[in-house]
Amino acid sequence: MAVTKERTTYIGTSVARKEDANLLTGQTRWVDNLTLPGMLWVSVVRSPHAHARIKGVNMSKAAEAEGVVAAFSGTDLAEEWAGALPCAWPVTEEMANPPHWPLAKDKARYVGDGVAVVIAESRVLAKDAAELVEVDYEPLPSVTDVTKALDDGAPLVHDELDSNRCYTWALAAGEVDRLFAEAAVTVKERYRQQRLIPNAIEPRGVLVDLTPAQGEFTMWSATQVPHIARVTLSGTTGIPESKLRVVAPDVGGGFGSKLNVYAEEALCLVLARRLGRPIKWIEERSEGYLATIHGRDVIQEIELAATAEGKITAVRTRLTAAMGAYLQLVTPGIPLLGAWLYGGCYGVEGYDFECVGVFTHTTPTDAYRGAGRPEATYAIERAVDALARKLGQDPVDLRRLNFIKEFPAELASGLTVDSGDYDASLDRALEMVEYDAVRREQAERRERGDSTQLGIGLSTYMEMCGLAPSRILAAIRYGAGGWDAATIRCLPTGTVQVLIGTSPHGQGHVTTFSQIIADRLGMAIDEIEVLHGDTSVIPLGMDTYGSRSLAVGGVALYNAADKVIAKAKQIVAHGLEVADYDLEYDAGRFTVRGTDRSMTVKEAALAAWTAHNLPDGMEPGLEETYVYDPPNFSWPGGCHVAVVEIDTETGSVDLRRYVAVDDVGTVINPMIVDGQIHGGIAQGVAQALFEEAVYDEDGNLVTGSMVNYMVPSAAELPNFELDRTESPSPTNPMGVKGVGETGTIASPAAVMNAVVDALSPFGITDIDMPATPERVWRAIEEAR
Ligand code: MCN
């Protein structure tokens, strides 16, 4: 499909965000701001043990406490469930998927596993009473380290399985063994993707209302996925889908952690049903550290085969990926979202990938910004630097030699990259960072033996986002489609309602989607109202994750506008008594060719509503829906460069500069895109330098609060220097690609390549993330 170049006013402009007035004046509707008459609060009693048999739960003291209405153990609620919590991505036929009940009945399998609930008149009373619940635990041995969970004799997370292996998933193409045998040079590296804890500004929260006589339920949830939650929670609770309305009101970020269906949502629904009153639960921050999914926790082994000149011929990857104690919504598929990308933006011939998913006695893992793709980018970009060191080449030259240069490009792993220009973004990034000058400064410092050394790290990345063609998702056994939907409803008074199936929670869809319609229908931004996140208002939607909203939902909207314009054209042609081919269309106005006679889309909307003078047989009204299933993923790419200073006496790493040149195709709103990249880089730098979830020997989460889990603030980060190149995607009419995760995908590799580059005079070739001062200092001391 050709990229349409139309006269535009709003697309490509940094329109101020329509969302911000509410945010800045405190008029947002977070779940926590919602109150209903007769509402009760629930508090969840959580296991303090990583692994324990539940021998009994004594509720008597809690039940007598002030304000308590009811208290239930997992066994008490067992009959409420029509099914276990959903895992929608059974990645192989043989995958082990032990049932995950909203409350544990016989055994607790991680610290934080819910074992009982107390329902009371207020949040404080529910919490106080929860502390009076007496659970008789028999502690059992546990395993939290993914490298130990497959050892013989490791404690089993699920007794019914004969090991902690959840699945093995493999993908291979080309003559990999031969290419390795013939290689002039090989490198073999082992990297650790530490476990991360997502930190959206708003913790999770749920409120359920009901009309008992009709058996109808409304659930407000701080979720990214109201549509998916409705389908799946119907299966868990037995509430018919038609009787369940899910609303994602204003949602304060998610970063993948709210792309899920959680025990507390199911609990609030069945407790409302059981008690006949509205039920509310709001997560505390430290509770969220245990009860909301974690990210990463993967061990990676990667091998590259190359010619003497440095042409990479084959890649072999082995992953061991922690699932945690249970499979959440898409847990098993997350490491596989990188499965096709371990060759990076390099044209390799042989490809061999295998991932083993493993249960551990830990909080379940699942999607966290980038989901599989930061891991893949990290491994290949670090390995390419290792190869450059081995060959004595500059990492810039080695990358250039290997870049894919022609598009569309078929990857050895089997997918097709739509478009790109990796040299262009590399060139621009090197120019911005003044690469030669920084290398000179580095050489001078090394020469002088300065205590503060300089490191320069590159990450030339590409990724697949915009999830995605339903047929490909079927091939990889994903449980839903990849389409999305949009409806444009032209109202008789000249304004427009736009119904979108995506569910924004910080990304600014109300603004960017208004920009698309304003240009296409010739309207002012304020004449467009964007509705989202309510299953009773928006019947069709696949929600927001995988940087899919613009490249799938935005394209659905663009195409819906085509349908509106086509119908309006017939109405106008009929009204002006001309043939439709005599009409020219530009930005909301149809003009009879060569005359000054014209009519607007708004006028056509009024004519469609009065229906006084429509073509014979035409349905009144001007409202169109488009459901779009994309033919391919979208493939952003680019080059990030980090410059770090390391104090070799203390090990402290200072990120001095960060340059990012990204290619996300056509840009709708440059300011929003920059904001997405800023946030993404901050999260990736956090993985490289600051954040790590740590469990002790007994399976306690040692980093259980922000006191000891280091989420960086703006003070720890430099000003990011951004620019763009633009290779429009040929697969959609706007030429757009996703941007929501690119920063997080590219940045850990750039920063860690810089850290290792700074330390290379000591002979150091790897440091685990996060590169804390202690870790760096120890590495230097050992090397000395
Ligand atoms: N955009 C644009 N031009 C482009 C690409 C995108 O103007 N070429 C705009 C879009 O119209 C949209 C925003 O940028 O307003 C992000 O678009 P897209 O890349 O389609 O990503 P999604 O909207 O699907 O958002 C999901 C993505 C993911 S997967 C995570 S994780 C993430 C992220 O967005 N979580 C976020 N960004 C976040 N931002 C905030 N504030 N909070 C989160 O939880």
Side-chain angles (χ1 to χ4, degrees), residues 38-43 59 61-72 117-122 125-127 129-130 271-272 274-279:
M39 182 176 90
L40 298 173
W41 287 80
V42 60
S43 180
M59 224 72 89
K61 282 190 197 145
E64 284 161 19
E66 185 193 344
V68 170
V69 173
F72 302 107
V117 282
V118 175
I119 302 96
E121 298 289 348
S122 78
L125 292 175
K127 190 173 179 196
L271 291 172
R274 186 133 168 177
L275 301 173
R277 287 175 66 175
I279 301 283

Side-chain angles (χ1 to χ4, degrees), residues 17 19 200 224 251-257 367-370 373 465-466 502 504-513 515-516 543-552 554 664-670 672-673 675-676 679-680 683 735-741 744:
R17 294 197 343 153
E19 291 87 344
Q224 298 174 221
V251 176
F255 308 107
S257 70
Y368 180 50
R369 202 172 195 170
R373 291 151 293 157
C465 62
T502 60
H505 43 282
Q507 294 88 349
H509 297 178
V510 170
T511 305
T512 50
F513 287 29
Q515 289 178 256
I516 295 170
D543 307 323
T544 287
Y545 47 88
S547 303
R548 66 189 301 278
S549 299
L550 180 61
V552 186
V664 297
T666 308
V667 167
I668 304 296
N669 187 317
I672 286 180
V673 163
Q676 287 295 314
Q683 269 171 308
V736 294
K737 302 179 178 185
V739 72
E741 298 157 290
T744 314

Side-chain angles (χ1 to χ4, degrees), residues 81 83-87 97-105 109-110 112-114 158 160 236 260-264 266 291 293 325-329 331 359 363-364:
W81 309 119
L85 287 166
C87 169
N97 185 13
H100 180 192
W101 301 107
L103 283 184
K105 289 183 283 194
R109 293 186 172 85
Y110 65 97
D113 206 356
H158 296 278
E160 64 269 41
T236 300
N260 230 305
V261 176
Y262 281 102
E264 294 80 5
I293 62 93
Y326 302 100
L327 303 181
Q328 281 279 351
L329 189 67
T331 303
F359 290 111
T363 296

Side-chain angles (χ1 to χ4, degrees), residues 160-179:
E160 64 269 41
L161 307 178
D162 51 15
S163 84
N164 288 320
R165 195 178 66 85
C166 172
Y167 67 84
T168 302
W169 190 96
L171 168 72
E175 296 177 66
V176 178
D177 290 342
R178 178 182 63 77
L179 291 165

Side-chain angles (χ1 to χ4, degrees), residues 684-708:
V685 172
Q687 175 171 15
L689 297 181
F690 304 114
E691 296 184 11
E692 177 172 20
V694 180
Y695 284 96
D696 71 12
E697 284 283 288
D698 298 322
N700 296 302
L701 183 65
V702 180
T703 52
S705 80
M706 280 191 185
V707 173
N708 37 31

Side-chain angles (χ1 to χ4, degrees), residues 539-758:
L540 286 168
M542 277 292 178
D543 307 323
T544 287
Y545 47 88
S547 303
R548 66 189 301 278
S549 299
L550 180 61
V552 186
V555 175
L557 184 59
Y558 184 97
N559 291 348
D562 275 347
K563 289 171 81 174
V564 167
I565 293 165
K567 181 167 180 183
K569 191 175 195 177
Q570 289 179 43
I571 295 169
V572 171
H574 184 76
L576 297 178
E577 296 179 347
V578 295
D580 60 2
Y581 52 78
D582 281 331
L583 292 173
E584 282 173 343
Y585 180 74
D586 183 37
R589 181 175 292 277
F590 298 92
T591 309
V592 182
R593 233 176 279 275
T595 75
D596 58 0
R597 294 177 66 213
S598 72
M599 228 175 121
T600 61
V601 172
K602 289 181 187 179
E603 288 164 333
L606 180 60
W609 181 75
T610 60
H612 292 170
N613 184 25
L614 294 179
D616 285 346
M618 178 181 274
E619 288 177 45
L622 188 53
E623 170 170 332
E624 296 291 346
T625 295
Y626 197 100
V627 185
Y628 177 66
D629 200 341
N632 192 354
F633 297 86
S634 93
W635 298 83
C639 176
H640 288 207
V641 186
V643 180
V644 301
E645 274 183 341
I646 297 186
D647 182 333
T648 56
E649 302 298 325
T650 65
S652 104
V653 179
D654 181 26
L655 182 57
R656 200 173 86 170
R657 288 184 67 194
Y658 197 95
V659 168
V661 178
D662 295 282
D663 184 344
V664 297
T666 308
V667 167
I668 304 296
N669 187 317
M671 176 191 66
I672 286 180
V673 163
D674 285 354
Q676 287 295 314
I677 293 171
H678 277 222
I681 295 171
Q683 269 171 308
V685 172
Q687 175 171 15
L689 297 181
F690 304 114
E691 296 184 11
E692 177 172 20
V694 180
Y695 284 96
D696 71 12
E697 284 283 288
D698 298 322
N700 296 302
L701 183 65
V702 180
T703 52
S705 80
M706 280 191 185
V707 173
N708 37 31
Y709 186 86
M710 167 69 191
V711 180
S713 71
E716 280 79 39
L717 301 164
N719 273 330
F720 303 134
E721 302 163 54
L722 308 187
D723 202 357
R724 265 189 283 283
T725 57
E726 214 172 286
S727 315
S729 172
T731 54
N732 67 68
M734 288 189 286
V736 294
K737 302 179 178 185
V739 72
E741 298 157 290
T742 55
T744 314
I745 290 167
S747 52
V751 175
M752 292 307 294
N753 275 340
V755 168
V756 170
D757 182 52

Side-chain angles (χ1 to χ4, degrees), residues 52-98:
R53 199 176 315 283
I54 301 168
K55 294 187 352 197
V57 183
N58 181 353
M59 224 72 89
S60 54
K61 282 190 197 145
E64 284 161 19
E66 185 193 344
V68 170
V69 173
F72 302 107
S73 68
T75 312
D76 296 336
L77 292 182
E79 298 300 313
E80 294 284 346
W81 309 119
L85 287 166
C87 169
W89 201 344
V91 294
T92 67
E93 225 166 288
E94 307 74 22
M95 182 190 88
N97 185 13

